[in-house]
């Protein structure tokens, strides 16, 4: 069976929501959470072993459906990107898992069950965060609760409370986490800011105590505004550490979008981690491409070309869809078209360079995004909502969006 039409996630990865619920992946749309036969969401506190999840009836049925090129609704995010010629999370992940993925697919039984060959555990460690990003919400940042409350922005207070209490009650590793970590090869940490989550260091220490750290690679989505000596000491004992550092552009626009961020401090922390861990650490830059930074992206790409030799020349772009009024699609054609033209010229320049595999993936994703954006209908109502939201937030925070002139 060919794997190019399949997705590695239902075969080799388990993913956990901020509230502890299990999900099929972190990219999917509605319906991505694992449920029991009564429709109840399944938490990591409801199961004890990887076997219970990886060969859960829902996992088995999804694997069987994908084998027949039938995809659940939560796959629409990737399918839409691929339809537009872009690089989706699915297609980007296949090369990373290549041999193991093929072996796992071959092991699948007629009922959809597979061998217990879990490769990656993805953990969203709640919503503790030290930043207040404009495109974020209290679901992923505790600091945003007060802002949302004072500005009367709507959010589900009960669900946010559940997120906070879940990881407070689960600072000790439960049976499921212990079982999953016992044979894992990679752990993906998301947040909030995962480096602030108390359970984070306990997971690393568990892997070290089990004498597994030299076999495990750690992946992070982090703002890297903080990095302690304790964290550096723990990281030094692992096979590899990969940091996706969140930056939305050069200093002025980054620090505006990511309230509380400090580009200069992040720069220093990158240097500190690199000097401490050497070749054991890999960096990538994660940029959420959105209406607020779209016109700044050409300058950002110019900056990355010469910034640091060990950082990719292209960021890993996340293309914002929600909230829709912050998407680049709310920009009127007269505003988006000049930037699209500049970016297409830059793409042509990149295509003449020798790029790494990860840079090629980013470039293909950007091409697909621009194709989609160019053909997208202008969301005029979204634009009005964008203006109202940012005016209100600027007044509350006493800020003003930085301007850019690009020639």
């Amino acid at each position: 069976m060919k794997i190019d039409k399949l997705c590695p996630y239902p075969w080799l990865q388990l993913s956990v929501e901020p509230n502890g619920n299990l999900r099929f992946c972190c990219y999917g749309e509605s319906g991505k959470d694992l449920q029991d036969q009564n429709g109840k969401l399944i938490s990591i506190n409801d199961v004890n072993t990887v076997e219970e999840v990886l060969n859960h009836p829902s996992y088995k049925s999804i694997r069987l459906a994908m084998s027949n090129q039938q995809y659940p609704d939560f796959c629409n995010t990737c399918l839409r990107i691929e339809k537009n010629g872009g690089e989706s999370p699915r297609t980007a992940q296949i090369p990373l898992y290549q041999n193991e993925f093929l072996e796992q697919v071959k092991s699948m039984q007629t009922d959809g069950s597979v061998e217990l060959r879990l490769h990656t555990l993805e953990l969203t460690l709640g919503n503790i965060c030290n930043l207040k990003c404009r495109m974020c919400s209290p679901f992923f940042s505790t600091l945003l609760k007060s802002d949302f409350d004072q500005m009367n922005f709507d959010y589900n207070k009960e669900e946010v409370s559940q997120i906070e209490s879940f990881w407070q009650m689960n600072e000790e590793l439960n049976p499921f986490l212990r079982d999953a970590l016992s044979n894992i090869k990679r752990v993906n940490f998301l947040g909030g800011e995962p480096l602030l989550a108390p359970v984070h260091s306990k997971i690393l220490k568990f892997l070290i105590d089990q004498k597994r750290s030299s076999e495990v690679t750690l992946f992070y989505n982090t703002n890297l505004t903080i990095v302690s000596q304790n964290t550096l000491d723990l990281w030094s004992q692992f096979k590899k550490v990969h940091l996706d550092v969140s930056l939305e552009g050069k200093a002025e626009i980054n620090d505006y979008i990511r309230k509380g961020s400090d580009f200069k401090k992040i720069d220093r922390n990158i240097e500190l981690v690199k000097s401490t861990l050497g070749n054991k650490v890999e960096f990538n830059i994660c940029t959420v491409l959105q209406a607020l930074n779209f016109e700044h992206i050409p300058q950002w790409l110019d900056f990355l070309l010469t910034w640091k030799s060990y950082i990719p020349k292209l960021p890993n772009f996340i293309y914002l869809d929600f909230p829709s009024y912050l998407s680049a699609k709310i920009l009127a054609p007269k505003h988006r078209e000049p930037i699209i033209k500049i970016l297409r010229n830059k793409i042509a320049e990149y295509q003449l360079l020798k790029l790494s595999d990860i840079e090629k993936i980013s470039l293909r994703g950007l091409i697909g995004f621009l194709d989609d954006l160019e053909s997208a209908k202008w969301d005029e109502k979204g634009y009005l909502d964008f203006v109202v939201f940012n005016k209100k937030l600027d007044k509350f925070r006493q800020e003003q969006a930085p301007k850019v002139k690009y020639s």
Side-chain angles (χ1 to χ4, degrees):
M1 183 185 300
K2 293 184 177 181
I3 61 174
D4 61 329
K5 299 297 183 183
L6 305 177
C7 176
Y9 284 27
W11 270 269
L12 293 167
Q13 175 171 306
L14 297 181
S15 183
V16 181
E17 293 266 24
N19 59 8
N21 289 337
L22 286 153
R23 60 188 174 190
F24 296 103
C25 81
C26 70
Y27 297 102
E29 298 176 354
S30 60
K32 64 184 178 182
D33 293 312
L34 187 62
Q35 302 178 17
D36 65 16
Q37 59 185 5
N38 298 317
K40 178 181 177 294
L41 298 177
I42 300 176
S43 161
I44 60 173
N45 285 341
D46 299 325
V47 292
N48 292 315
T49 66
V50 169
E51 164 76 16
E52 294 174 67
V53 183
L54 203 57
N55 281 324
H56 185 276
S58 295
Y59 266 86
K60 292 194 286 188
S61 65
I62 284 175
R63 286 192 288 261
L64 290 171
M66 282 188 174
S67 299
N68 293 313
Q69 296 186 35
Q70 298 172 359
Y71 305 96
D73 289 343
F74 63 78
C75 291
N76 286 340
T77 298
C78 284
L79 294 174
R80 183 168 58 249
I81 294 171
E82 293 167 23
K83 182 179 179 181
N84 292 324
E87 185 84 26
S88 73
R90 183 193 75 84
T91 55
Q93 291 294 318
I94 289 176
L96 303 179
Y97 292 104
Q98 191 77 32
N99 294 330
E100 280 191 272
F101 187 20
L102 186 58
E103 290 301 313
Q104 188 73 319
V105 170
K106 288 179 179 178
S107 81
M108 189 175 72
Q109 304 298 306
T110 55
D111 68 345
S113 60
V114 293
E115 296 178 2
L116 295 183
R117 194 184 280 116
L118 183 63
H119 184 284
T120 299
L121 178 65
E122 183 176 78
L123 299 170
T124 310
L125 301 180
N127 63 346
I128 296 174
C129 189
N130 58 336
L131 302 187
K132 299 193 286 187
C133 301
R134 285 176 173 255
M135 61 286 191
C136 197
S137 77
F139 293 100
F140 298 101
S141 175
T142 44
L143 291 187
L144 279 170
K145 287 197 304 179
S146 61
D147 284 15
F148 272 54
D149 290 340
Q150 292 180 63
M151 292 187 293
N152 294 316
F153 289 165
D154 186 43
Y155 68 98
N156 190 323
K157 293 181 175 63
E158 181 180 355
E159 189 171 343
V160 169
S161 178
Q162 290 173 350
I163 292 171
E164 293 172 349
S165 63
F166 181 86
W167 290 104
Q168 289 172 0
M169 293 187 298
N170 288 274
E171 288 187 11
E172 299 302 324
L173 305 190
N174 64 18
F176 168 78
L177 287 176
R178 289 174 178 270
D179 184 56
L181 292 168
S182 295
N183 294 290
I184 211 74
K185 293 186 177 180
R186 185 171 106 179
V187 186
N188 292 354
F189 290 108
L190 313 174
E193 172 47 53
L195 298 182
L196 287 172
V199 72
H200 165 254
S201 62
K202 294 183 179 182
I203 291 171
L204 301 194
K205 289 174 183 177
F206 175 82
L207 289 165
I208 292 168
D209 290 344
Q210 296 294 310
K211 302 188 186 307
R212 298 222 55 248
S213 58
S214 62
E215 305 167 356
V216 175
T217 297
L218 306 175
F219 274 67
Y220 291 85
N221 281 104
T222 174
N223 61 49
L224 209 64
T225 56
I226 52 164
V227 57
S228 68
Q229 186 60 50
N230 180 60
T231 297
L232 292 171
D233 292 342
L234 292 171
W235 281 348
S236 69
Q237 300 180 63
F238 283 80
K239 179 180 179 180
K240 204 86 175 177
V241 178
H242 182 100
L243 302 178
D244 265 6
V245 182
S246 296
L247 289 168
E248 309 309 341
K250 295 174 67 177
E252 196 174 12
I253 186 64
N254 175 75
D255 296 353
Y256 170 76
I257 293 176
R258 305 180 63 81
K259 178 71 171 179
S261 183
D262 184 333
F263 191 98
K264 293 180 180 178
K265 180 186 288 186
I266 295 167
D267 191 337
R268 292 195 298 270
N269 285 341
I270 290 173
E271 294 288 343
L272 172 63
V273 175
K274 180 64 177 175
S275 64
T276 304
L277 299 183
N279 292 332
K280 184 170 284 192
V281 66
E282 294 177 341
F283 294 92
N284 199 5
I285 301 302
C286 183
T287 298
V288 179
L289 202 158
Q290 54 190 294
L292 285 165
N293 67 353
F294 184 60
E295 65 175 347
H296 295 260
I297 295 300
Q299 283 189 345
W300 182 223
L301 296 181
D302 286 345
F303 178 83
L304 289 176
L305 271 173
T306 58
W307 187 27
K308 299 182 190 294
S309 61
Y310 52 85
I311 286 183
K313 295 183 283 291
L314 275 161
N316 171 29
F317 282 117
I318 304 296
Y319 302 102
L320 186 146
D321 284 324
F322 183 85
S324 59
Y325 57 82
L326 294 181
S327 163
K329 293 179 181 178
I330 62 93
L331 298 172
K334 67 179 181 179
H335 292 137
R336 66 170 89 145
E337 286 171 1
I339 307 301
I340 291 175
K341 183 178 179 180
I342 293 171
L343 289 174
R344 290 205 184 279
N345 289 335
K346 292 200 170 295
I347 287 169
E349 295 172 8
Y350 275 107
Q351 289 171 332
L352 299 176
L353 301 176
K354 184 177 181 180
L355 302 177
S356 66
D357 289 342
I358 197 167
E359 290 167 339
K360 290 176 183 176
I361 288 173
S362 295
L363 192 64
R364 290 196 295 269
L366 181 59
I367 292 169
F369 169 77
L370 293 178
D371 289 342
D372 183 39
L373 181 62
E374 204 163 30
S375 61
K377 184 180 178 181
W378 178 35
D379 182 1
E380 189 171 357
K381 181 184 181 302
Y383 176 74
L384 296 175
D385 292 340
F386 169 82
V387 171
V388 170
F389 171 81
N390 283 291
K391 279 188 174 181
K392 188 172 184 178
L393 194 55
D394 283 344
K395 183 178 180 180
F396 178 77
R397 294 182 175 176
Q398 297 184 322
E399 294 177 333
Q400 187 174 5
K403 302 296 183 182
V404 64
K405 291 183 179 180
Y406 194 87
S407 57

